[in-house]
Amino acid sequence: MRRSLFGCILCTLMLLECSPMLATIAPEGREQRYKIAVCDWMILKRQKIGSFQLVHELNGDGVELDMGSLGKRETFDNKLRDPHFQQLFRETAREFQLEVPSIAMSGFYGQSFLERANYEELVRECLNAMKVMDAKVAFLPLGGIKAGWEGEPALRAEVVKRLKKVGDMAAAEGLVIGIETQLDAKGDVKLLKEIDSFGIKIYFKFQNVLENGRDLCKELKILGKKRICQIHCTDTDGVTLRFNERLDMNKVKKTLDKMGWSGWLVVERSRDKDDVHNVRKNYGTNIEYLKEVFQK
C-alpha cells in the first residue's frame, strides 16, 4: 500500500516536472480577488440586452444592471418583472460569460427615497430582480433626498427607519443593499450603527470622496472591509482612469489588499470630457487599466 502511494506521488511529480502546463493549471484557474463590471446606464444600454455583448467586447467581467428609470412613475420602468425578459437576460449573460454582481436603483439619484410612500414596494421589486439575475448587491443612492437631511433630526430618523426596514427585507433573503451617501467615512459608520441592519452596507464611490477633498485610502480604512459591499471605482468625468492624477489606483489596491477586501469594482464615470459619448474608448480603456492594476 505504502509502495503504491509512493509510486503515485512520484508519477505526479514527474508529470509536473515534464509539463509546465500542468504545473500552472491551479494558479491560472484561481478565482480573481477583484472583478471589473460596468454600469449599463452609463454605456447607454440601460436594461438593454446589448449591454452584455458590449461589456464582453470591452473585456469586462460583469454588468451592473439598472432597474430602469423612475421619474414620476409609481414604479421602475423595469423589464425584469416580465418572465420573457427574465429568461432572455439570464441566457444572454450566460452566453457572454458575464456575471451580474448588482442591480441598481439609479432612479433615486433624482427621486427622493424619503418621499416615496411605496418605497418598500420599489425595493421589493429590486430584490426580486436580484434573485432573477443571481445578484447579491443592490445599489441605492440617496442623492434625491433633500440636501442636509443628515443634520435634520426628523428627516434623519425617517431615513434610518426606512433603511432599517428595507435592510431587514434584504437580509432575510441573504442579500445586501449598498447605500451611497455624501457623508465622510466616520459619518457613514455612524449612520450604519443607527440603521443596525445586516442588509445595509456602504456602496463606496471614489468620486464623492475626491470631489470633497478627502483622503481616499484613509476613508477606505475607516470604513473597513466589512462595511463596504461594492465600489464604484471611478472619478467624475474629465480624463480616463489611467490619466487621473488625483486618483492613485496602485495605492488604492495596496490599501484594499491590506484591508483584506475583495469584490467587484464597477466603472461608472471617468470619461474623457472631450469625447464623452465614445463608449468603447472610455469604458474599454478604463476596464483595461483596472485589469492591469487589480488582476495582474
Side-chain angles (χ1 to χ4, degrees):
M1 178 71 176
R2 222 182 305 177
R3 185 177 300 171
S4 175
L5 178 60
F6 177 78
C8 288
I9 293 171
L10 182 60
C11 182
T12 301
L13 290 173
M14 288 173 66
L15 282 169
L16 290 175
E17 181 68 25
C18 295
S19 176
M21 286 279 286
L22 284 172
T24 57
I25 284 174
E28 287 180 359
R30 71 180 182 272
E31 182 78 6
Q32 286 286 357
R33 179 169 188 167
Y34 303 102
K35 293 184 179 181
I36 314 301
V38 180
C39 304
D40 70 348
W41 69 95
M42 292 303 301
I43 58 171
L44 311 180
K45 298 286 186 183
R46 190 182 211 175
Q47 278 221 343
K48 292 182 179 178
I49 293 296
S51 64
F52 295 106
Q53 181 172 348
L54 178 55
V55 173
H56 172 75
E57 291 171 357
L58 298 178
N59 198 32
D61 302 316
V63 181
E64 179 171 88
L65 292 180
D66 193 55
M67 283 295 292
S69 56
L70 186 54
K72 302 299 182 182
R73 298 177 182 83
E74 276 297 302
T75 187
F76 297 106
D77 184 18
N78 172 33
K79 292 185 178 74
L80 289 172
R81 70 169 70 93
D82 183 324
H84 166 72
F85 283 106
Q86 291 175 0
Q87 182 177 354
L88 187 58
F89 272 71
R90 284 196 303 264
E91 289 177 351
T92 308
R94 195 178 305 119
E95 176 188 351
F96 290 105
Q97 298 182 307
L98 292 172
E99 296 179 65
V100 176
S102 44
I103 304 286
M105 294 178 275
S106 73
F108 284 114
Y109 270 127
Q111 300 299 311
S112 175
F113 180 71
L114 194 57
E115 294 174 11
R116 287 278 177 163
N118 66 334
Y119 73 96
E120 290 180 54
E121 177 189 337
L122 291 168
V123 173
R124 169 54 60 196
E125 188 172 1
C126 181
L127 297 178
N128 291 341
M130 291 166 71
K131 288 184 284 186
V132 166
M133 299 306 302
D134 197 27
K136 301 303 180 188
V137 172
F139 170 53
L140 173 58
L142 302 180
I145 302 177
K146 172 188 170 185
W149 65 266
E150 305 93 338
E152 296 189 27
L155 293 183
R156 186 182 181 104
E158 183 61 22
V159 171
V160 168
K161 174 186 171 184
R162 289 182 173 219
L163 290 175
K164 167 72 172 173
K165 180 72 175 179
V166 299
D168 288 349
M169 285 165 53
E173 302 193 40
L175 304 173
V176 169
I177 297 171
I179 59 172
E180 178 194 313
T181 81
Q182 292 296 321
L183 296 166
D184 63 12
K186 289 182 178 178
D188 277 337
V189 170
K190 182 181 177 184
L191 180 63
L192 288 178
K193 288 180 178 176
E194 291 174 33
I195 297 166
D196 189 29
S197 173
F198 289 115
I200 298 290
K201 293 190 178 185
I202 297 300
Y203 199 126
F204 194 80
K205 185 173 181 176
F206 290 174
Q207 178 184 338
N208 291 340
V209 177
L210 295 167
E211 286 190 327
N212 285 286
R214 299 194 286 264
D215 185 318
L216 177 56
C217 292
K218 184 177 179 181
E219 294 278 289
L220 286 168
K221 287 186 277 191
I222 289 171
L223 280 169
K225 73 173 185 177
K226 292 183 179 178
R227 297 188 184 97
I228 301 171
C229 62
Q230 213 155 275
I231 295 174
H232 275 143
C233 187
T234 45
D235 197 356
T236 188
D237 290 333
V239 295
T240 52
L241 288 171
R242 190 183 297 277
F243 304 104
N244 191 324
E245 295 181 355
R246 71 175 182 176
L247 178 50
D248 186 340
M249 202 66 79
N250 287 290
K251 185 178 179 182
V252 168
K253 180 182 183 296
K254 288 177 183 176
T255 300
L256 292 173
D257 286 348
K258 193 170 183 180
M259 288 166 54
W261 191 87
S262 64
W264 284 87
L265 307 171
V266 183
V267 183
E268 189 180 22
R269 290 189 179 274
S270 286
R271 298 173 294 184
D272 180 349
K273 64 179 176 58
D274 296 321
D275 200 9
V276 73
H277 297 301
N278 191 335
V279 169
R280 288 183 178 274
K281 184 187 84 170
N282 288 312
Y283 291 93
T285 55
N286 282 336
I287 290 170
E288 179 182 48
Y289 178 65
L290 289 175
K291 282 182 169 272
E292 283 179 20
V293 175
F294 288 94
Q295 294 185 355
K296 291 177 185 176

